[in-house]
Amino acid sequence: MLARWLFSSLGLPLKTWALFAELVLAGTFVVIVGARLTRQADAICDVYHLGRAWVGMLLLATITSLPEVAAGTSAVVLDQVNLAFGNILGSCCFNIAIIVLLDAVSRRGAVLERAQPLQQRNAVLSLLLLAGLLGGINAVWLMADRPAAAALAEAGLAGAIAVGYLWCMRTVYRAQHGLGHSPLQRCPVGAASATVSGPSGLLGRFVLTACLIVALSTWLTATGDVLSEHPIHLAGRTFRLGGTFVGFLFIAAATSLPEVVTCTEAVRIGQLEMALGNIFGSNMFNIFIMPMLKLVGLIVGVPVLVLSPGFELVKHDAAGGLAIVLTVITLVTLCFGCRRMFGRFGLDSILICLAYLAGMYLVFTL
């Protein structure tokens, strides 16, 4: 982005260190704005009497996942379907790995040990959407010799995921707020109500901050995309990374940085449920991106995404399998607890970290 434009205007070859410097700069701005977004979301919970887990799952998860939408749709337009699916599944893995960082930030033991029972439901719903996407991709792939049936099956998969995501959001809301409750209940305090009135109120500032973090995250993602295609010279060798691995690691990490910031800030201010709701909600929204990719594919003339030339099914199965394994680890911990600690880290965090590193190595070497 900026580095490429600057070096191009000067007539100089683009340097790898300049791209890394731009990544650091963009990431710094995302950290600053993301912390503000979390505090504003916490204030909205107080004003409207909304549950922290619900706000984390719906508001924060949707906003912080918009960079994945931008990265995925642009990848499909550029005929980089591997990059799009690698970003979706890689972001799901990276979001679960954020729990390791939350343990490091928290000073009260393993965060999953202190989670409310509602998070068990969130983990199960996230797991169901992940399994549905992975199973659907393989089912469509098996119809490679019948393109018409494959196109119909993929359209059905996209529709099922869209309906499933909306059902998950409704289920979580009903579980937390009960039947007959209005989605937004204003605080009876006059001062709090005045806070959200007018363009300079709380909601106005929240929307502006959300737009800013989406813009910054898009900048971060675009820079990471340029870096992924940039030839890297190391130890006398020049290499580039494949599309699936780039999406799984670089783009996924770049687009998930807003989740990292908002989750750690939420834990730091004592709002653990908002952080965990953001993690599971972001993973659900990431799966929900698949119907959007299908729509974009139909518009640009890609009838079946899974049957695109060079689609790396084995790598995507490995990435999706890793996301399922990581989610199962969190679900088991949420259901049965984890009292074994290693310093600040729970046993679940150790398992998540080891599984994530092993999964990255597997995807890279396949």
Side-chain angles (χ1 to χ4, degrees):
M1 293 289 288
L2 292 180
R4 183 166 61 179
W5 172 82
L6 179 61
F7 277 78
S8 176
S9 62
L10 295 176
L12 299 174
L14 180 60
K15 301 295 184 181
T16 303
W17 64 263
L19 290 173
F20 277 109
E22 186 174 352
L23 278 178
V24 172
L25 179 62
T28 301
F29 283 120
V30 169
V31 169
I32 296 173
V33 178
R36 182 176 294 275
L37 183 71
T38 304
R39 292 183 177 273
Q40 291 172 348
D42 185 50
I44 288 176
C45 293
D46 292 331
V47 171
Y48 288 110
H49 298 301
L50 292 173
R52 261 72 181 180
W54 170 252
V55 169
M57 176 164 287
L58 185 63
L59 284 180
L60 285 183
T62 301
I63 293 170
T64 56
S65 295
L66 289 179
E68 279 91 341
V69 176
T73 53
S74 61
V76 172
V77 171
L78 297 174
D79 197 22
Q80 297 287 340
V81 178
N82 282 321
L83 194 66
F85 277 89
N87 182 29
I88 290 176
L89 298 173
S91 293
C92 289
C93 297
F94 193 90
N95 288 340
I96 298 296
I98 294 175
I99 294 174
V100 180
L101 181 60
L102 299 187
D103 272 3
V105 174
S106 174
R107 298 183 179 181
R108 298 172 55 191
V111 293
L112 295 182
E113 181 73 19
R114 297 182 280 113
Q116 294 181 1
L118 174 66
Q119 300 300 342
Q120 299 174 16
R121 185 190 303 267
N122 297 343
V124 170
L125 295 176
S126 175
L127 186 61
L128 289 176
L129 287 177
L130 270 169
L133 175 64
L134 200 60
I137 289 176
N138 283 271
V140 174
W141 179 267
L142 293 176
M143 302 179 184
D145 56 339
R146 294 174 292 166
L152 184 61
E154 190 174 77
L157 173 64
I161 289 177
V163 173
Y165 173 77
L166 296 177
W167 177 80
C168 289
M169 293 297 101
R170 180 174 179 269
T171 299
V172 173
Y173 179 79
R174 287 165 64 95
Q176 184 164 348
H177 296 277
L179 295 174
H181 284 240
S182 174
L184 293 180
Q185 298 179 348
R186 283 189 179 277
C187 178
V189 182
S193 181
T195 304
V196 296
S197 61
S200 60
L202 177 59
L203 289 182
R205 293 197 301 272
F206 182 81
V207 171
L208 289 176
T209 305
C211 293
L212 183 57
I213 199 169
V214 170
L216 290 172
S217 301
T218 304
W219 173 28
L220 184 68
T221 303
T223 305
D225 189 27
V226 173
L227 178 62
S228 67
E229 298 176 355
H230 182 70
I232 300 176
H233 306 282
L234 184 64
R237 298 176 56 192
T238 301
F239 60 92
R240 292 182 176 88
L241 299 174
T244 301
F245 183 73
V246 167
F248 177 73
L249 180 60
F250 286 101
I251 306 302
T255 55
S256 293
L257 185 57
E259 281 91 345
V260 174
V261 178
T262 54
C263 288
T264 53
E265 179 65 14
V267 170
R268 196 179 70 82
I269 63 177
Q271 302 300 342
L272 174 61
E273 298 307 314
M274 184 184 294
L276 294 178
N278 189 9
I279 289 175
F280 293 122
S282 293
N283 278 8
M284 293 183 199
F285 191 88
N286 286 341
I287 304 302
F288 181 59
I289 294 175
M290 186 270 170
M292 305 181 199
L293 299 183
K294 176 61 178 177
L295 180 60
V296 174
L298 292 176
I299 294 175
V300 300
V302 184
V304 186
L305 297 174
V306 177
L307 300 183
S308 300
F311 188 81
E312 300 172 320
L313 179 67
V314 177
K315 286 190 176 183
H316 294 307
D317 280 344
L322 175 61
I324 290 176
V325 169
L326 295 175
T327 307
V328 168
I329 293 175
T330 63
L331 179 59
V332 171
T333 305
L334 289 169
C335 293
F336 300 101
C338 178
R339 301 186 182 279
R340 186 70 180 271
M341 298 292 296
F342 298 87
R344 286 192 175 184
F345 301 95
L347 178 60
D348 58 304
S349 290
I350 301 298
L351 294 177
I352 288 173
C353 184
L354 293 177
Y356 184 74
L357 294 176
M360 283 197 301
Y361 178 77
L362 178 63
V363 173
F364 180 73
T365 55
L366 279 174

